[in-house]
Amino acid sequence: MEQNNQNNQIIGLEGLGYDEFFEKGRVKAGFGGFGAARVVSEQKGSYIVKNQNGEFFAKITGKRMFFAQGRADYPAVGDWVVIDELPENQAAIHGILPRKTVLERRSGAKIDVQIIATNVDAAFVVQALDGDYSLNRFERYFSLCAAGGIDAIAVLNKTDLVSKEELAVKAEEIKKRFVDAEIIAVSTITDSGLDELKARIEKGKTYCFLGSSGVGKSTIINKLLEKEAIKTGRIDIRTERGRHTTTIRHMYFLPGGGIVIDNPGMREVGMAEAASGVENVFDKIAALAKECKFGDCRHENDPGCAVRAAIQSGEVDAAQFENYQNLKKEAEFFEMDKAQRREKDRDFGKFIKTAKKQLRKLDGL
Ligand code: GDP
Ligand code: ZN
């Protein structure tokens, strides 16, 4: 494994956010024999999990996950899972510990719930004071957080671009509409407000940064990390078939002991569009799809495709359609039927058996 950033540092379970809540859940769920580890990254059924021993490339195994149905079957970034450590930094995930909080978004179309992150204590909802700042967007994110039982803090970034008066007006507007709102105004250029932001972050607690692309989330997180880690956070993860795919880390450990999740789910689906009515667009595409000539139309080059026709005529935006397709694919992946899941389990079961045999051989030498 590459040793290219602070995520490879050894951190105890408490430093990773483990507490009595999860420990009780582990024992109660009958996972007493397994160790706990936290999901720091996820991509298409491959996970990077971290515990007091380091990081592991992990896959799901076992007949039954802790959660019985749907999208929640699968671990998400932020989850505590129970694992078997295997050779070569591999691990098998046996179950998910009960979640403290779940941050999720629902699409207007009939697409399943998409988990953004779990076990988040508080969310920083970032908007920049230039461009497309909007109170409605705060409202959307705040309600997302409220639904997940997560505290939300409004972060007004790029204060260097506006006057003190303008900032005061914006803060007043927020307080008027969201009476109890916590507001932190920052600038990563002047560093104004960054100490206040740091002070809001507690040791062992988990935070996420939400907000449209371009508002400065990565820049803020890099400031909190006191080094530029996000852009260098790419590593390779080996799948059980030996192919190499790239994944991006989503969890960062701050020098002060706070844990930060960079909003993984939203980057792909473009929350910027979501705020300005992507749900309507999705509904429209879903409705159009029903008019396609073939029931299993993939809206690619299929004849009689109503969706393609709408894109050609400009009725539907090609980028929005792409978002729709991505979200749908993701939903389908997570709704993969049981037979496929069993097959995956079997493949991985074989891998574990071989690995264990090799281990025993090594032990015998
Ligand atoms: P993200 O997409 O939310 O992660 O946004 P980035 O962190 O990539 O920042 C987007 C752009 O905003 C970059 O060009 C940053 O340099 C810029 N930016 C970030 N913070 C500030 C700030 O406080 N003031 C100004 N003027 N620009 C900023
Ligand atoms: Zn079609």
Side-chain angles (χ1 to χ4, degrees):
M1 200 178 294
E2 277 176 59
Q3 301 288 319
N4 64 350
N5 71 34
Q6 83 301 328
N7 280 299
N8 289 320
Q9 78 199 33
I10 293 297
I11 301 172
L13 286 186
E14 271 172 40
L16 295 169
Y18 200 70
D19 64 16
E20 211 172 317
F21 176 91
F22 300 111
E23 178 57 15
K24 277 188 181 149
R26 187 180 71 96
V27 175
K28 206 174 161 203
F31 288 134
F34 295 106
R38 195 155 194 201
V39 177
V40 300
S41 190
E42 180 267 320
Q43 193 159 77
K44 297 194 171 69
S46 295
Y47 301 87
I48 297 175
V49 301
K50 188 172 172 78
N51 65 12
Q52 72 281 5
N53 298 324
E55 290 189 351
F56 301 84
F57 296 125
K59 285 286 205 170
I60 295 169
T61 187
K63 286 188 181 59
R64 191 176 65 95
M65 295 298 292
F66 186 81
F67 291 98
Q69 276 174 352
R71 174 65 173 82
D73 259 341
Y74 294 89
V77 173
D79 264 330
W80 280 96
V81 292
V82 284
I83 62 161
D84 244 347
E85 292 179 20
L86 301 167
E88 291 188 44
N89 284 57
Q90 310 258 4
I93 298 175
H94 290 276
I96 308 170
L97 297 185
R99 291 161 171 157
K100 227 184 240 183
T101 63
V102 181
L103 188 58
E104 60 191 9
R105 74 184 296 273
R106 271 165 209 280
S107 151
K110 287 188 197 76
I111 289 165
D112 249 13
V113 175
Q114 184 191 8
I115 295 182
I116 298 157
T118 65
N119 301 320
V120 168
D121 294 292
F124 294 107
V125 180
V126 188
Q127 286 206 61
L129 289 163
D130 62 343
D132 59 352
Y133 172 91
S134 104
L135 282 177
N136 286 340
R137 186 167 292 124
F138 270 131
E139 180 151 58
R140 251 192 80 94
Y141 281 109
F142 286 171
S143 58
L144 215 81
C145 294
I150 296 157
D151 289 341
I153 301 116
V155 174
L156 298 175
N157 189 30
K158 310 196 187 181
T159 54
D160 55 286
L161 297 178
V162 298
S163 66
K164 271 206 173 79
E165 291 73 26
E166 205 175 322
L167 173 60
V169 168
K170 289 281 198 301
E172 211 41 56
E173 277 175 8
I174 295 172
K175 281 192 184 134
K176 220 169 134 191
R177 178 126 158 221
F178 315 102
V179 180
D180 299 323
E182 251 185 276
I183 304 165
I184 301 178
V186 301
S187 166
T188 63
I189 302 260
T190 66
D191 287 354
S192 150
L194 287 177
D195 285 340
E196 196 188 335
L197 184 61
K198 277 183 194 172
R200 183 61 180 76
I201 297 174
E202 286 174 59
K203 206 174 159 182
K205 292 263 193 299
T206 304
Y207 303 84
C208 71
F209 280 78
L210 304 175
S212 309
S213 167
V215 297
K217 298 181 298 296
S218 311
T219 316
I220 293 171
I221 296 171
N222 280 331
K223 283 277 180 179
L224 296 174
L225 283 166
E226 290 159 18
K227 64 160 115 181
E228 203 164 308
I230 291 190
K231 285 181 197 97
T232 60
R234 280 168 186 281
I235 61 156
D236 287 328
I237 182 162
R238 193 146 28 108
T239 69
E240 81 269 38
R241 289 191 184 86
R243 273 185 286 113
H244 285 76
T245 55
T246 304
T247 188
I248 299 167
R249 285 169 201 279
H250 291 305
M251 195 181 282
Y252 304 91
F253 302 96
L254 307 184
I259 301 153
V260 165
I261 295 176
D262 178 21
N263 61 337
M266 292 207 189
R267 188 153 278 177
E268 294 82 25
V269 298
M271 199 61 187
E273 291 92 341
S276 56
V278 74
E279 292 183 352
N280 296 337
V281 175
F282 280 14
D283 282 342
K284 190 167 161 187
I285 295 171
L288 281 166
K290 288 201 189 105
E291 287 166 29
C292 293
K293 191 171 173 192
F294 298 104
D296 60 349
C297 184
R298 297 184 318 160
H299 322 306
E300 281 164 12
N301 297 310
D302 314 56
C305 175
V307 177
R308 277 283 147 209
I311 294 167
Q312 296 276 295
S313 75
E315 196 190 332
V316 166
D317 186 69
Q320 287 171 332
F321 175 65
E322 205 177 304
N323 276 347
Y324 171 85
Q325 287 291 73
N326 287 340
L327 191 57
K328 195 156 171 278
K329 252 185 245 156
E330 200 174 306
E332 280 164 2
F333 168 76
F334 287 116
E335 281 162 14
M336 166 170 85
D337 67 56
K338 285 202 186 81
Q340 278 173 291
R341 231 178 274 176
R342 265 201 301 275
E343 196 179 323
K344 270 203 153 177
D345 283 354
R346 205 164 40 232
D347 284 354
F348 191 51
K350 264 187 224 157
F351 161 75
I352 291 169
K353 254 182 221 153
T354 316
K356 281 189 172 160
K357 228 182 266 169
Q358 280 166 353
L359 250 192
R360 274 197 294 274
K361 256 191 218 157
L362 282 175
D363 281 347
L365 283 179

